Amino acid sequence: MWILSASGCRWLGAAGSLAVAVGGWAAGTLPVRGGWGLWEPRGSALTLAGALLAYLGLTLLVAAWWRYGVLLARGARDGVLTTLAWWAGPLLLAPPLYSKDVYSYIAQGAMVLEGHDVYGGGPSVLGPGDLGADAAASVGGHWTDTPAPYGPAFLVLAQLVVRATGGEIVPAVLGTRLLAVAALALIVWAVRGLGGGRGGPDGALWLAALNPLLLIHVIGGMHNDGLMIGLMLAGVLLAVRGRWVLGCVLVGLAMMIKSPAAVALLFIGVIIARRDGGARGLARGLALPGLVAGAVAAVATLLAGTGFGWLRTQSVAGTIHTALSVSSDLGLGLGLLLGDDPDPVKAVVQNLGLLLAVALILVLAWRAWRGLLDPVAALGLSLVGLVALSPMVQPWYLLWGTAVVASVAWRGRAGQVLAVLSAALVYETALDGRTPWYGFVVAGVVLAGGLVWTRRDPWGEGASPPLRPLARAAD
């Protein structure tokens, strides 16, 4: 059947993406005010119709993406970048989808321009006459009074968007989406450069860039995780090519978007240590990446003028409970069983989860240093482990490690499992940013079915990615 061919998947996925975008105009995360009459509530009946259309479109997109991946795994050749353009294009002019975070970004950029301490308070400090007031009114839930957990590099970008658009909702959202498109382009460049491992870059782009989880949350929802991933991957690529100083500079900038990118420094250190060998190589690998990235962070903070408050706000997200966090759920449950105030027990379990994540990362780094595992693949698995054990987990956090694993080992068992998780997690969040119970039900059904399928048709046949040759230093 034509619809099962690569070109048929391209059309089917584009139709699904278009349905998501159209549904978003009625049921997306529309602003409270300032939508210019374009992004406004349309009434309950139209909102329900838009939500159903978007769910149908999302299912078409996921089905097309999965079939497309099967074809690539079986050796098909197709214009993957053309397919990416077809699937991402309909989302470019849509209102914010699946999240209200973009309103926080705009409001935080406005806070800096208005002279407020973005690390000392939340968007609620903006008054009616301030820049970004409309965006602040649309910020969701707990984030209204939550200080920014983002680094100064991202706040500079947010300021530029607000300054260029006057803080008006519609142009500011579209300006932020341009940043998301730039992030996607950087991810594509880095993934192609890393090669994809066995099966080549087309399949790697399928898992990293065509991934519906990325399309709806980085392009549709404009999460700054896309910028972090793009800069981090680009830095790793440069390090693999021997230009580790410039690579660490890019990772340092990624840290100044979101701090988890710092994990990449350890594995760039592994690359340096393996390349140079001996005690000297190990010392260089342990010290130099951190020194370079630390200098970048200090300079970026001083140039941005936002202060070093980001050092104390990295844990604020952990105070907000998310159902996908195993450590938070377990801690809350144990806390309720053991006493009236569950918070102390919950905090202990969350910290134990982070300690376990650190231990896992160190084990993976040791295996990579010993030559038992590709350092880039080890980085991807480390980021997946960090997300799984973190005190706050959002569906799009899975992309941190998925994009990295995809770039070197998309056809391995880990890549296939991450594909299943990606397909499941797209359903966890509703179009308007809520996390309804039925989203977890649908995600569970997709996850169970996908895992059964991977056992019956394993793409990677259990093979681990080959170790790549290490370039000599160019820096």
Side-chain angles (χ1 to χ4, degrees):
M1 292 177 63
W2 171 79
I3 198 66
L4 298 179
S5 68
S7 60
C9 290
R10 182 180 298 131
W11 280 98
L12 186 65
S17 180
L18 180 61
V20 170
V22 172
W25 282 75
T29 53
L30 303 172
V32 172
R33 60 174 186 262
W36 288 8
L38 298 172
W39 299 341
E40 304 285 350
R42 306 293 180 181
S44 57
L46 195 56
T47 298
L48 177 60
L52 292 175
L53 177 63
Y55 267 112
L56 174 62
L58 183 60
T59 300
L60 291 177
L61 179 60
V62 170
W65 173 70
W66 194 266
R67 174 61 183 172
Y68 199 64
V70 170
L71 294 174
L72 293 175
R74 292 176 179 173
R77 294 289 180 265
D78 192 60
V80 175
L81 294 181
T82 301
T83 303
L84 177 60
W86 280 43
W87 291 4
L91 302 174
L92 297 182
L93 296 179
L97 306 174
Y98 298 100
S99 174
K100 296 181 180 180
D101 280 9
V102 67
Y103 301 125
S104 293
Y105 302 161
I106 297 167
Q108 288 159 359
M111 285 174 64
V112 179
L113 293 176
E114 293 285 358
H116 297 288
D117 180 8
V118 76
Y119 297 122
S124 62
V125 303
L126 292 172
D130 290 340
L131 283 173
D134 288 344
S138 301
V139 172
H142 301 283
W143 297 105
T144 300
D145 298 304
T146 301
Y150 313 119
F154 180 71
L155 294 177
V156 168
L157 295 175
Q159 289 176 68
L160 292 175
V161 169
V162 173
R163 194 186 298 275
T165 61
E168 295 285 345
I169 287 281
V170 175
V173 166
L174 296 180
T176 307
R177 187 163 277 136
L178 288 178
L179 297 178
V181 172
L184 178 61
L186 194 55
I187 291 170
V188 168
W189 176 77
V191 168
R192 285 170 62 89
L194 287 166
R198 192 164 61 87
D202 283 356
L205 288 175
W206 168 80
L207 180 55
L210 273 74
N211 193 325
L213 191 65
L214 183 140
L215 293 176
I216 67 171
H217 286 300
V218 172
I219 302 301
M222 292 156 284
H223 288 289
N224 58 9
D225 302 72
L227 280 171
M228 183 199 79
I229 294 167
L231 288 167
M232 179 182 65
L233 270 176
V236 170
L237 171 61
L238 291 174
V240 167
R241 290 178 173 176
R243 304 181 65 185
W244 67 265
V245 172
L246 184 55
C248 290
V249 169
L250 292 185
V251 173
L253 290 175
M255 289 165 48
M256 293 297 93
I257 304 292
K258 295 190 78 168
S259 59
V263 177
L265 296 174
L266 176 61
F267 291 90
I268 290 177
V270 169
I271 292 171
I272 295 172
R274 288 188 59 226
R275 182 201 63 211
D276 292 353
R280 179 176 179 272
L282 182 59
R284 283 167 56 87
L286 289 174
L288 295 182
L291 290 174
V292 173
V296 169
V299 171
T301 301
L302 293 173
L303 291 178
T306 54
F308 287 86
W310 58 271
L311 290 170
R312 69 172 182 268
T313 62
Q314 294 306 299
S315 62
V316 298
T319 62
I320 299 174
H321 190 93
T322 54
L324 291 177
S325 171
V326 175
S327 63
S328 294
D329 292 339
L330 181 59
L332 179 61
L334 288 175
L336 291 172
L337 286 174
L338 297 176
D340 295 330
D341 183 7
D343 288 342
V345 176
K346 180 180 176 183
V348 170
V349 176
Q350 287 176 330
N351 289 331
L352 288 174
L354 289 175
L355 286 175
L356 184 58
V358 170
L360 173 63
I361 292 168
L362 292 176
V363 168
L364 289 169
W366 180 80
R367 288 178 59 82
W369 176 59
R370 292 291 303 273
L372 303 174
L373 185 62
D374 184 292
V376 181
L379 168 61
L381 295 174
S382 294
L383 289 168
V384 172
L386 176 62
V387 170
L389 295 166
S390 288
M392 180 182 179
V393 179
Q394 298 286 12
W396 54 91
Y397 289 5
L398 183 70
L399 296 169
W400 304 350
T402 298
V404 181
V405 171
S407 67
V408 294
W410 73 276
R411 282 200 63 179
R413 178 54 61 88
Q416 197 172 10
V417 170
L418 289 172
V420 172
L421 286 170
S422 297
L425 287 177
V426 298
Y427 292 102
E428 192 264 349
T429 308
L431 195 63
D432 61 0
R434 297 178 300 110
T435 52
W437 64 269
Y438 53 82
F440 290 93
V441 173
V442 177
V445 171
V446 173
L447 177 62
L451 291 177
V452 170
W453 191 89
T454 60
R455 290 182 60 85
R456 299 176 63 180
D457 187 12
W459 294 346
E461 300 173 356
S464 59
L467 291 173
R468 59 186 62 248
L470 297 175
R472 298 300 301 173
D475 292 296

